[in-house]
Amino acid sequence: MSADPLHRATNTQRSMTSPPSGGLGASAVEVRRSSRRRRTVSAYREGDRTVVLIPARMSEAEEKRWVGVMLDKLAAQESKRVLGDTELADRAERLSDQYLEGKARPASVRWVTNQNTRWGSCTPAEGSIRLSHRLQGMPEYVVDYVLIHELAHLLVPGHGPRFWRLLDAYPRTERARGYLEGVVAADRLPHLPAARGD
């Protein structure tokens, strides 16, 4: 197989699609069909988009199904990866630019292990944001929601109408809040001992 990108381009068809409505990718999806690819499907992130590689002979229905499968697979892999404090600060900056017109500029963003009753907190006077370590391993859109929530607090104290209008810019606010409510509810369920086998 040649590594020459021009050679590969002659055997590849590309199309851009939006992510499936239930998919976890917030960016555009580029599907690349290859006549040399027979059975395998793969996907990776490239900047602000997801690239899905499929065999050229696949039907549109198969393509749609595989795009959803691969978006879910990538999201699961990414949720296992723990962002460091530097990556978290970079992510906060990108989210501020994307959803808050770049107006929220924290001085520091970091993980902490001493927040067991809240997901995040901020000190506007210092410009510091802290996220609970319990968020590590949760889906990216949930971590992003908590970051945006705390970024919004740098601009608006309290949870009044102006604050919630800022969060309306993030399209997954309700979904992320539902996820976190589910985690809290699950923690409150009684933990029954495992059934013993006879």
Side-chain angles (χ1 to χ4, degrees), residues 9-193:
T10 61
N11 293 318
T12 304
Q13 300 168 343
R14 298 177 186 210
S15 64
M16 293 293 285
T17 62
S18 297
S21 56
L24 297 173
S27 61
V29 176
E30 179 181 331
V31 177
R32 295 181 186 169
R33 291 175 172 267
S34 171
S35 58
R36 290 193 292 177
R37 188 175 283 268
R38 298 285 177 228
R39 291 189 306 258
T40 60
V41 176
S42 61
Y44 59 93
R45 304 284 191 208
E46 188 176 80
D48 63 347
R49 66 182 168 183
T50 303
V51 177
V52 181
L53 307 171
I54 64 172
R57 62 174 175 69
M58 248 187 208
S59 70
E60 284 188 33
E62 288 174 309
E63 174 185 319
K64 186 175 180 181
R65 182 178 76 82
W66 275 107
V67 166
V69 167
M70 297 313 287
L71 286 175
D72 289 345
K73 194 172 189 175
L74 280 174
Q77 290 169 351
E78 290 167 351
S79 71
K80 292 176 185 169
R81 189 175 71 86
V82 176
L83 299 173
D85 289 348
T86 302
E87 293 171 302
L88 203 57
D90 291 344
R91 188 175 201 95
E93 186 175 326
R94 283 194 308 273
L95 291 168
S96 176
D97 290 343
Q98 187 172 2
Y99 297 107
L100 301 171
E101 299 174 357
K103 293 178 182 173
R105 291 290 176 212
S108 68
V109 183
R110 62 190 173 93
W111 296 107
V112 294
T113 57
N114 63 351
Q115 289 190 127
N116 294 314
T117 59
R118 29 171 97 183
W119 299 113
S121 62
C122 79
T123 307
E126 297 172 4
S128 62
I129 292 176
R130 295 161 303 281
L131 295 191
S132 172
H133 72 287
R134 296 179 305 140
L135 289 165
Q136 294 175 342
M138 289 189 187
E140 280 186 3
Y141 74 92
V142 175
V143 176
D144 286 353
Y145 163 73
V146 176
L147 274 172
I148 293 169
H149 187 107
E150 300 308 330
L151 286 165
H153 277 311
L154 294 178
L155 305 174
V156 179
H159 292 100
R162 187 168 159 242
F163 173 83
W164 290 111
R165 278 195 299 276
L166 287 176
L167 286 195
D168 284 344
Y170 183 59
R172 295 185 176 191
T173 291
E174 288 306 313
R175 184 175 179 189
R177 290 184 71 194
Y179 184 99
L180 293 171
E181 287 170 7
V183 170
V184 170
D187 285 345
R188 291 182 182 152
L189 291 174
H191 295 283
L192 301 175

